[in-house]
Amino acid sequence: MKNYVQSFNPEIQEYYKILSPKGIPEFIVPYIETPQMQKQAKISTTCGTVYSNLFSNQFWYSSLEHSIGVALIIWNFTKNKKQTLAGLFHDIATPVFKHTIDFMNGDYEKQESTEELTSRKIYESKEIMELLEKDGVTIKEVEDYHIYPIADNDTPQLSSDRLEYTLSNGLGAIMKCWNLSEVKEMYQDIEIQKNEKGIQELGFKSQEMAEKFVQGMRKLSAEYIKNKTKFSMQFLADIVKKMSKENEISKNDLYRLSEKEVIEKIENSKIGGIAKNFEIWRKATQIKESDEEVKDKYCVKIPNPKIRYIVPLIRTKTGFIRINQVSQIAKTEIELAKNFKTKNYAYLDFEF
């Protein structure tokens, strides 16, 4: 485990020390080392966008690194092994290009079409099942992290999953919103609170830190649904769909192969236009946009994409309350995130 973590970006190693000051708990190490979990190390959290010059990611961040981060946050706040393992496993069924495959499945809004495979992937792993038995944990206790509100909850609440991808994406996996010192400052301001329904939720102790978090969240929220992002995810989804129809790639390949291996298949595709158009997309530095559909181009329109935004709780003298109820700064940022609009269509100069 030591060597594996040391292979990460040094900034990520420092980031993990913030999430879990006492280090990575020993009990999760054998699970991380299983073949099923290691497959996630070859999948980017950026849904394939990291491979195009349209984006300026600061570093590669894998699905496994994200899952470890989620587990560390859960462990830091709960010290509960079962919840921590559920967080570690929550993306075990993630295919190459992550939520791009949800686009292929027509799941633009929820982006949850692959989650139903989580139980199956855990059960099919002989190594994981043996470890669970050894630790006295049943698959029912770790197959669905949605049952643990600190691990996951509904938008716009703050959960360990939502917190982790916001912090890491803002650290540079998507764009640079803050540095390690700022992440540490925000993270140390978080505690377990109780929301309007009396359910546990992560929240901030101070208005200042909550506002800082929300300001970064708003920038990231827009980045997730900009036309260049939607275009890229749909483009990759269409490539995989077309290659699947022509038997150049199988559904199983999406879960068995690394992104690098799938990209090699795309680059070597014999289907007209795929390899050439993929190269155009990789080298593109700007997407074209229009309010009207552009004919004779690869032009896409994505209906109702998932808007990712967070309205965290904060501690006040009278109890816990949503930040937008006491901060005009946060209220404005959150409304900007919820109402971010793009032009109707995005396209590049090729037919597909």
Side-chain angles (χ1 to χ4, degrees):
M1 178 60 192
K2 184 177 179 182
N3 290 335
Y4 177 67
V5 173
Q6 286 180 342
S7 70
F8 293 165
N9 180 306
E11 193 169 24
I12 298 307
Q13 296 181 45
E14 292 302 312
Y15 168 61
Y16 279 173
K17 291 177 184 177
I18 293 171
L19 300 185
S20 182
K22 293 185 178 180
I24 296 176
E26 287 297 321
F27 76 91
I28 72 170
V29 173
Y31 292 95
I32 293 171
E33 295 292 354
T34 61
Q36 195 66 56
M37 289 300 298
Q38 285 294 310
K39 287 178 183 177
Q40 294 300 309
K42 299 174 182 178
I43 297 172
S44 169
T45 57
T46 61
C47 306
T49 60
V50 71
Y51 303 109
S52 172
N53 290 335
L54 288 167
F55 304 89
S56 55
N57 312 72
Q58 302 283 314
F59 54 79
W60 161 274
Y61 198 61
S62 75
S63 180
L64 179 55
E65 288 168 294
H66 162 63
S67 295
I68 293 172
V70 172
L72 293 182
I73 293 172
I74 296 170
W75 179 251
N76 181 67
F77 288 106
T78 71
K79 294 299 184 288
N80 184 291
K81 290 185 176 182
K82 293 172 184 177
Q83 291 188 43
T84 300
L85 287 172
L88 182 67
F89 296 146
H90 82 281
D91 272 347
I92 197 171
T94 296
V96 295
F97 306 142
K98 210 168 170 68
H99 293 300
T100 289
I101 305 307
D102 291 320
F103 271 50
M104 189 178 81
N105 294 335
D107 181 20
Y108 305 100
E109 189 171 358
K110 292 186 177 180
Q111 296 181 15
E112 297 174 348
S113 67
T114 63
E115 288 186 3
E116 62 188 38
L117 296 173
T118 300
S119 301
R120 179 176 151 192
K121 292 297 180 183
I122 295 172
Y123 184 77
E124 288 178 348
S125 171
K126 178 175 174 287
E127 294 86 354
I128 291 177
M129 292 303 293
E130 287 177 351
L131 288 167
L132 289 176
E133 184 177 2
K134 179 182 176 182
D135 288 340
V137 179
T138 68
I139 190 171
K140 288 289 184 184
E141 293 171 310
V142 297
E143 67 182 350
D144 182 9
Y145 80 141
H146 299 294
I147 67 175
Y148 302 116
I150 294 301
D152 185 60
N153 49 34
D154 293 332
T155 298
Q157 300 170 88
L158 183 60
S159 64
S160 296
D161 182 24
R162 213 163 279 123
L163 174 61
E164 198 294 315
Y165 71 64
T166 302
L167 292 179
S168 58
N169 284 343
L171 196 56
I174 293 290
M175 64 187 299
K176 196 72 173 179
C177 297
W178 36 60
N179 57 36
L180 282 168
S181 295
E182 291 171 310
V183 167
K184 185 175 183 179
E185 190 178 29
M186 287 186 290
Y187 189 68
Q188 290 182 340
D189 196 65
I190 294 173
E191 64 181 358
I192 292 180
Q193 301 176 354
K194 282 196 175 180
N195 63 25
E196 306 89 338
K197 297 180 180 179
I199 299 171
Q200 286 190 331
E201 183 182 334
L202 297 179
F204 288 87
K205 301 171 190 175
S206 71
Q207 180 173 323
E208 179 187 2
M209 288 298 102
E211 287 174 342
K212 187 179 187 70
F213 178 80
V214 166
Q215 287 171 326
M217 175 279 296
R218 188 266 304 166
K219 295 175 185 176
L220 290 164
S221 179
E223 200 69 17
Y224 301 147
I225 57 173
K226 282 183 177 178
N227 267 331
K228 64 179 182 179
T229 306
K230 294 185 290 185
F231 175 93
S232 298
M233 293 175 71
Q234 187 62 58
F235 176 55
L236 290 171
D238 286 346
I239 284 178
V240 171
K241 195 170 187 177
K242 185 172 282 191
M243 290 178 68
S244 177
K245 284 184 178 179
E246 298 296 326
N247 297 316
E248 283 195 345
I249 198 168
S250 68
K251 185 175 181 180
N252 186 50
D253 287 338
L254 304 179
Y255 297 91
R256 182 179 61 85
L257 301 178
S258 67
E259 286 183 348
K260 181 180 178 181
E261 290 170 321
V262 171
I263 287 173
E264 287 176 355
K265 282 181 172 286
I266 293 172
E267 292 173 332
N268 294 317
S269 173
K270 303 302 181 185
I271 302 170
I274 283 185
K276 180 181 177 182
N277 294 341
F278 181 75
E279 189 63 18
I280 292 172
W281 170 76
R282 290 194 77 164
K283 292 180 177 179
T285 57
Q286 190 172 0
I287 205 78
K288 298 184 179 182
E289 300 175 277
S290 171
D291 282 325
E292 303 294 331
E293 185 176 7
V294 178
K295 303 295 184 181
D296 302 321
K297 308 290 182 188
Y298 178 69
C299 183
V300 302
K301 180 180 182 180
I302 308 300
N304 301 318
K306 181 176 183 177
I307 298 176
R308 297 177 183 270
Y309 72 100
I310 304 167
V311 186
L313 293 168
I314 63 164
R315 175 185 286 275
T316 69
K317 292 180 180 179
T318 57
F320 306 122
I321 194 167
R322 297 287 165 190
I323 182 64
N324 59 340
Q325 295 179 267
V326 294
S327 167
Q328 185 59 47
I329 291 173
K331 183 177 180 180
T332 300
E333 295 286 350
I334 290 163
E335 288 305 308
L336 286 171
K338 290 169 64 178
N339 296 300
F340 180 79
K341 302 294 183 185
T342 65
K343 289 194 174 183
N344 292 331
Y345 293 89
Y347 66 97
L348 281 178
D349 289 330
F350 58 79
E351 292 186 62
F352 185 58

